[in-house]
């Protein structure tokens, strides 16, 4: 989520002023004369412009890119005070919990990759939520009908809430790589929560989208529908409850959630959702226990790694499918020459490689603590060559295509099969940030509560929403005779994700870092940006702004309208069926952030110029133009 990229035009302001004056005059004419003696109504709060954003910043001493100016400023403040990239990433993440509460909160989780300049190594940190100990494969089966719950019935419920992983991930990250304590890093976010931020169109729209379900949950309505409606664009939104929650966390540490009173309050909210008694919505209770919170651990992981065109590309390993699927697709593409003079052919190969990698993702990737994931084989060159031989240069394969066999026994080509799996639902509303510091450390971090507004359950008096990450599990087993599903619910199991925080090295040094929100489109957005930057010769700002398409082993290629306008006819001639991406938000794929090292010490931070209101890129010391 992000705030509006541009200020309202002066002409728009004049029109709004004139419109307001006309309404006031009409209202005055409609009031009886006797009412003229009544005291005047209180003045409406002043309307302010959202803060300006810049999508590209180049300079020295450190850089940050997020979707939000307040979060970017929080990170920059930490960098200027001598904090490192990990410190700044946590400070930005905490601030996003204030300004982007529908996608980022301590009630959620996330994934991070981190380059340590001291070790010259990339690390991965898994802060994905997991399910309660009593979770079974039939968790989302309605006992009355024997059929899976609808997504809408499952999401706004206690059933959808997994154990939050964000605070445990911050704690692990800071202990391993940080130089500041959590309490100090929460201070910028506390200030924003207390003083408020200016509501932009994006925040208003996301509130309005959730208005019906927010209205049915009492603490959510009280917090996010002040006066009974979404906060107006230009108004100032404050969250004193979250400011106090952050203060308590600064004082007591994360044990307050995982083993203390805040954890009890979360469990109470999940098992007895605070629903308005007048609401007709069925909000099912969850089965979370305090013992589930106490059992949770954020996990240090070995990142995925593939070599591509002389670059080393590192990503997030399972339980996310981001690193494995991006890596497999790059390995497949490595078998072809992608010519910037022929972007249509390059995009054809990109779409076909994505199709094949998604088939394997669905068949083999899940929580490696609960299912066997053949990660080494999925990322092997032999498997990539076997898959690449299925791609025809002039004809798209009919989707869905079957998964391959990552068994170590690879042939030049394999015959087509019949087994595949429908693409599972995965909420596209997350947020990504990147940070680099003056020492050369780099953080690539995606944080999420799943979809806009998560489960819609706000912990009473605490100022934050709880996630709906458990709806990322498959709701029902595979059909008889099909491959076993690695993503079925299970006790303390992490649902599969597509989150793909990515770091690219050249000659052992950081070159690129990037990531994006977008649910299962995250993988294709990261992959397309890498292809645009490394194969098609675009600079990073152009690669982030370029129109996008996503092929996730579906019959259609979903794309932004600008992509269809530019490439649709030529790709359709090769058999691709292009349709406008349905969203949400409709017609928009991802909202990426990235950075690139242009020279020693010189970093370019890049955010979206337009998508979802644009993003905010800042550097410590701007380079001279």
């Amino acid at each position: 989520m992000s705030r509006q990229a541009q200020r309202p035009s002066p002409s728009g302001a004049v029109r709004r002023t004139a419109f307001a004056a006309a309404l006031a005059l009409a209202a005055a004419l409609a009031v009886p004369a006797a009412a003229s003696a009544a005291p005047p109504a209180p003045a409406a709060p002043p309307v302010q412009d959202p803060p300006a954003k810049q999508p590209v910043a180049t300079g020295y001493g450190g850089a940050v890119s997020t979707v939000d100016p307040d979060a970017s400023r929080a990170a920059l403040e930490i960098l200027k005070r001598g904090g490192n990239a990990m410190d700044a990433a946590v400070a930005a993440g905490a601030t996003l919990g204030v300004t982007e509460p529908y996608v980022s909160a301590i009630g959620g989780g996330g994934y991070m990759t981190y380059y340590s300049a001291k070790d010259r190594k990339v690390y991965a940190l898994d802060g994905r939520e997991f399910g309660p100990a009593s979770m079974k494969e039939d968790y989302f089966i309605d006992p009355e009908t024997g059929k899976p719950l609808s997504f809408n019935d499952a999401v706004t419920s206690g059933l959808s809430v997994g154990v939050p992983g964000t605070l445990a991930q911050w704690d692990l990250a800071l202990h391993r790589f940080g130089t500041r304590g959590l309490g100090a890093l929460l201070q910028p976010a506390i200030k924003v929560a207390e003083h408020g931020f200016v509501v932009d169109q994006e925040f208003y729209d996301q509130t309005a989208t959730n208005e019906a379900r927010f209205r049915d949950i009492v603490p959510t309505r009280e917090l996010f529908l002040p006066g009974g409606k979404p906060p107006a664009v230009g108004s100032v939104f404050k969250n004193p409850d979250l400011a106090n929650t952050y203060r308590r966390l600064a004082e007591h540490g994360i044990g307050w959630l995982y083993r203390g009173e805040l954890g009890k309050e979360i469990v109470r909210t999940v098992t007895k959702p605070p629903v308005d008694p007048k609401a007709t919505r069925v909000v099912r209770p969850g089965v979370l226990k305090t013992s589930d919170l106490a059992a949770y651990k954020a996990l240090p992981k070995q990142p995925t790694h593939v070599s591509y065109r002389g670059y080393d590309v590192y990503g997030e390993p399972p339980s996310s499918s981001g690193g494995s699927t991006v890596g497999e697709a790059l390995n497949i593409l490595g078998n072809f020459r992608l010519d910037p003079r022929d972007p249509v052919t390059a995009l054809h190969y990109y779409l076909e490689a994505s199709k094949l990698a998604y088939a394997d993702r669905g068949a083999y990737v899940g929580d490696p603590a609960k299912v066997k994931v053949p990660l080494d084989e999925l990322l092997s060159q032999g498997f990539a060559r076997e898959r690449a031989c299925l791609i025809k240069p002039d004809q798209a394969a009919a989707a869905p295509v079957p998964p391959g066999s990552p068994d170590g026994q690879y042939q030049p080509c394999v015959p087509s099969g019949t087994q595949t799996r429908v693409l599972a639902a995965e909420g596209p509303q997350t947020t990504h940030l990147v940070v680099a510091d003056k020492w050369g450390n780099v953080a690539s971090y995606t944080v999420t509560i799943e979809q806009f507004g998560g489960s819609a359950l706000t912990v009473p008096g605490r100022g934050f929403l709880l996630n709906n990450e458990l709806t990322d599990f498959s709701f029902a087993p595979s059909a008889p005779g099909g491959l076993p599903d690695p993503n079925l619910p299970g006790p303390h199991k992490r649902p599969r994700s597509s989150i793909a925080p990515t770091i690219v090295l050249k000659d052992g040094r950081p070159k690129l870092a990037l990531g994006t929100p977008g649910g299962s489109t995250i993988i294709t957005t990261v992959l397309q940006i890498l292809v645009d930057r490394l194969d098609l010769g675009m600079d990073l700002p152009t690669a982030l702004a370029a129109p996008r398409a996503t092929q996730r082993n579906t019959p259609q290629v979903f794309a932004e309208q600008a992509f269809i306008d530019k490439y649709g006819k030529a790709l359709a001639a090769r058999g691709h069926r292009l349709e406008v991406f349905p969203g949400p938000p409709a017609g928009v794929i991802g909202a990426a952030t990235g950075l690139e090292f242009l020279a020693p010490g010189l970093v370019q931070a890049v955010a979206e110029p337009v998508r979802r209101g644009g993003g905010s890129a800042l550097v410590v010391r701007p380079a001279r133009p």
Side-chain angles (χ1 to χ4, degrees):
M1 181 179 81
S2 57
R3 281 186 254 146
Q4 200 72 309
Q6 297 181 345
R7 297 173 181 269
S9 65
S11 61
V14 170
R15 286 195 296 271
R16 286 194 299 274
T17 303
F19 182 63
L23 286 178
L25 176 60
L29 293 173
V31 175
S36 61
V47 174
Q48 303 181 38
D49 288 342
K53 297 179 179 180
Q54 60 179 22
V56 181
T58 306
Y60 301 90
V64 57
S65 178
T66 81
V67 298
D68 177 75
D70 289 308
S72 294
R73 283 194 293 266
L76 202 69
E77 176 185 333
I78 298 301
L79 293 175
K80 287 182 175 179
R81 293 183 178 182
N84 68 9
M86 185 61 80
D87 301 324
V90 170
T95 305
L96 288 169
V98 181
T99 58
E100 309 285 312
Y102 305 144
V103 296
S104 173
I106 58 172
Y111 294 96
M112 180 186 294
T113 52
Y114 188 75
Y115 175 81
S116 169
K118 178 182 177 181
D119 303 334
R120 296 186 65 177
K121 289 179 61 178
V122 178
Y123 297 86
L125 301 175
D126 182 335
R128 181 67 156 170
E129 303 88 336
F130 67 28
S134 58
M135 193 177 208
K136 299 179 181 178
E137 289 189 356
D138 62 355
Y139 186 76
F140 288 111
I141 302 298
D142 187 339
E144 295 184 3
T145 65
K147 297 180 179 180
L149 295 172
S150 71
F151 181 80
N152 288 337
D153 286 341
V155 66
T156 308
S157 75
L159 291 174
S160 70
V161 181
V163 175
T166 293
L167 286 176
Q169 186 180 35
W170 289 353
D171 186 65
L172 174 65
L174 293 174
H175 275 94
R176 294 197 65 174
F177 304 109
T179 67
R180 303 287 191 272
L182 179 60
L185 300 176
L186 291 173
Q187 296 310 308
I190 291 171
K191 292 178 184 177
V192 176
E194 283 185 326
H195 299 295
F197 62 91
V198 180
V199 172
D200 67 355
Q201 189 65 48
E202 185 78 8
F203 186 90
Y204 174 86
D205 289 346
Q206 291 181 13
T207 310
T209 297
N210 281 293
E211 184 174 357
R213 66 192 194 118
F214 280 8
R215 193 175 299 282
D216 288 344
I217 311 298
V218 175
T220 307
R221 180 180 67 212
E222 292 173 347
L223 178 58
F224 295 113
L225 300 176
K229 58 184 179 181
V233 175
S235 64
V236 174
F237 185 87
K238 300 179 181 180
N239 193 339
D241 285 346
L242 185 56
N244 289 331
T245 298
Y246 279 171
R247 283 197 191 91
R248 294 287 298 276
L249 283 169
E251 179 182 359
H252 298 291
I254 69 166
W256 184 45
L257 187 152
Y258 293 102
R259 296 177 299 278
E261 182 57 36
L262 181 57
K264 294 177 183 178
E265 294 175 20
I266 289 173
V267 169
R268 196 154 51 239
T269 304
V270 170
T271 56
K272 297 180 180 179
V275 183
D276 188 328
K278 299 178 182 178
T280 58
R281 183 186 306 273
V282 177
V283 180
R284 292 170 171 81
V287 295
L288 197 67
K289 297 180 180 179
T290 55
S291 56
D292 296 315
L293 273 67
Y296 183 84
K297 303 290 183 186
L299 303 175
K301 294 283 189 73
Q302 185 75 21
T304 61
H305 170 237
V306 298
S307 296
Y308 184 72
R309 318 285 194 203
Y311 295 89
D312 291 293
V313 182
Y314 292 87
E316 192 69 39
S319 56
S320 179
S321 64
S324 64
T325 313
V326 170
E328 181 187 344
L330 289 174
N331 282 342
I332 293 170
L333 289 172
N335 289 275
F336 303 98
R337 181 174 177 267
L338 305 186
D339 190 338
R341 296 169 298 180
D342 186 5
V344 171
T345 296
L347 289 168
H348 166 73
Y349 284 126
Y350 152 70
L351 294 171
E352 292 299 279
S354 299
K355 188 184 298 179
L356 293 165
Y358 264 87
D360 300 325
R361 166 191 178 271
Y364 301 114
V365 181
D367 182 352
K370 304 295 182 179
V371 296
K372 184 178 180 180
V373 180
L375 183 61
D376 290 344
E377 294 301 330
L378 288 172
L379 294 176
S380 69
Q381 291 296 333
F383 185 58
R385 285 192 295 270
E386 189 174 79
R387 300 299 272 158
C389 75
L390 299 175
I391 298 178
K392 297 178 181 179
D394 56 355
Q395 182 63 45
V401 299
S405 298
D407 54 10
Q409 304 296 318
Y410 303 121
Q411 305 299 321
C413 278
V414 294
S416 296
T418 58
Q419 293 179 333
T420 187
R421 182 169 289 116
V422 176
L423 187 68
E426 187 174 346
Q429 297 83 5
T430 60
T431 188
H432 186 81
L433 63 94
V434 288
V435 185
D437 62 32
K438 62 183 178 182
W439 299 284
N441 302 300
V442 179
S444 185
Y445 177 32
T446 309
V447 61
T448 179
I449 62 171
E450 180 57 3
Q451 67 170 44
F452 289 142
S455 63
L457 302 180
T458 296
V459 182
R462 297 304 181 191
F464 66 91
L465 287 155
L466 294 172
N467 68 84
N468 67 291
E469 299 290 358
L470 300 187
T471 57
D472 276 357
F473 281 118
S474 303
F475 280 23
S478 305
L483 291 171
D485 190 336
N487 193 42
L488 289 172
H492 288 180
K493 187 177 181 180
R494 286 164 157 83
R496 182 175 58 215
S497 171
S498 297
I499 288 174
T502 302
I503 293 177
V504 180
L505 307 186
K506 178 69 171 177
D507 300 324
R509 299 289 186 183
K511 178 61 178 176
L512 298 167
L514 69 151
T516 183
S520 60
T521 70
I522 288 173
I523 292 164
T524 53
T525 296
V526 169
L527 181 62
Q528 187 176 353
I529 291 171
L530 289 173
V531 169
D532 285 344
R533 174 67 190 87
L534 303 180
D535 288 302
L536 300 186
M538 299 180 191
D539 61 20
L540 190 58
T542 305
L544 257 76
R548 294 179 185 140
T550 179
Q551 170 50 270
R552 294 162 289 161
N553 199 23
T554 58
Q556 315 93 325
V557 173
F558 289 109
E560 296 175 334
Q561 186 63 53
F563 185 96
I564 296 173
D565 293 343
K566 191 170 185 178
Y567 304 112
K569 185 175 180 180
L571 288 171
R574 301 192 189 204
H576 296 283
R577 189 175 121 203
L578 278 76
E579 296 181 13
V580 175
F581 181 66
V588 178
I589 300 175
T593 56
L595 60 83
E596 178 171 357
F597 286 81
L598 303 178
L602 180 63
V603 185
Q604 184 176 67
V606 185
E608 295 280 2
V610 176
R611 291 181 183 94
R612 284 168 62 170
S616 171
L618 298 173
V619 292
V620 173
R621 297 193 311 277
R624 293 178 181 176

